[in-house]
Amino acid sequence: MKLFRVRLLIAALAVLMGTAISHAQTSEAAPPPPPMYGHGHEFGMGEHLGFMTRELNLTDDQKAQMKAILQKEHPTVKPLMQQQHQIELQLRQYVEGTFDAAKVRTLAQQKAQLDVEITVNHTRIYNQLYQLLTDDQKTKLKDMEAQHEARMQKHMQQAPTEPPAE
């Protein structure tokens, strides 16, 4: 299971790089896309892509290939993200209004199935982007991920074990 999470993180970082590249190459006059509830950017990972692009020293060819992959996959992922957004909006009404466990359960099941489809699509895209990296870039990415994982583990160990007393 840990290996799967590491691979997913690697893939996520690769998509992050591609998204930043695509955002960096768009016209400055173009308005930013409206943020989706729970998903700030295309594929849910746009903020760190510029950082990853610089850190891994992607070539212009790699950037162009990643942009092409993201553009090709966008029509597949966008409707899934929109469906997820609609479900989240519907769930919000049960937070703010009258709670109905049966309806929330139905929406949660729909969201779970949608999450499966999104995860499969994202992982496939991440794999395509990851394959564009050189061996040195892959090694550097793995090192960055290991450092990130170490910071997360340290943070999790520092988290309080009991809720604060009132």
Side-chain angles (χ1 to χ4, degrees):
M1 188 64 169
K2 185 171 178 98
L3 180 61
F4 174 75
R5 285 192 290 179
V6 170
R7 286 182 179 172
L8 187 58
L9 181 59
I10 290 169
L13 290 172
V15 166
L16 191 59
M17 291 183 309
T19 305
I21 293 165
S22 68
H23 285 294
Q25 294 180 354
T26 58
S27 164
E28 287 185 2
M36 294 182 70
Y37 179 71
H39 305 283
H41 297 282
E42 178 180 16
F43 303 131
M45 323 175 168
E47 296 174 357
H48 304 291
L49 191 51
F51 170 77
M52 296 302 297
T53 300
R54 287 187 304 276
E55 288 297 313
L56 295 178
N57 296 323
L58 298 179
T59 66
D60 290 340
D61 188 45
Q62 287 174 310
K63 292 175 191 177
Q65 289 177 40
M66 288 182 177
K67 183 176 180 180
I69 288 169
L70 293 173
Q71 287 176 337
K72 179 183 76 119
E73 298 294 343
H74 184 76
T76 302
V77 175
K78 185 177 180 180
L80 297 173
M81 300 301 282
Q82 289 173 331
Q83 290 174 19
Q84 185 179 49
H85 176 66
Q86 290 303 313
I87 290 172
E88 289 168 350
L89 289 176
Q90 291 175 28
L91 286 168
R92 192 181 316 162
Q93 78 182 5
Y94 295 106
V95 171
E96 298 169 354
T98 304
F99 180 76
D100 183 331
K103 290 181 182 176
V104 169
R105 188 173 313 281
T106 299
L107 289 169
Q109 289 170 341
Q110 291 173 5
K111 187 176 184 301
Q113 183 57 42
L114 198 51
D115 287 344
V116 168
E117 294 304 315
I118 290 170
T119 300
V120 169
N121 279 285
H122 282 181
T123 304
R124 179 177 41 77
I125 294 165
Y126 300 158
N127 176 265
Q128 291 174 26
L129 297 175
Y130 184 78
Q131 300 309 316
L132 297 175
L133 298 177
T134 65
D135 289 340
D136 289 341
Q137 290 169 328
K138 289 175 183 178
T139 299
K140 188 167 187 175
L141 181 59
K142 288 177 186 177
D143 290 344
M144 292 168 64
E145 290 167 348
Q147 291 172 2
H148 180 263
E149 180 65 26
R151 285 191 306 271
M152 292 301 294
Q153 288 298 323
K154 183 178 177 183
H155 176 73
M156 294 303 292
Q157 290 173 355
Q158 293 174 350
T161 56
E162 296 181 20
E166 292 183 29

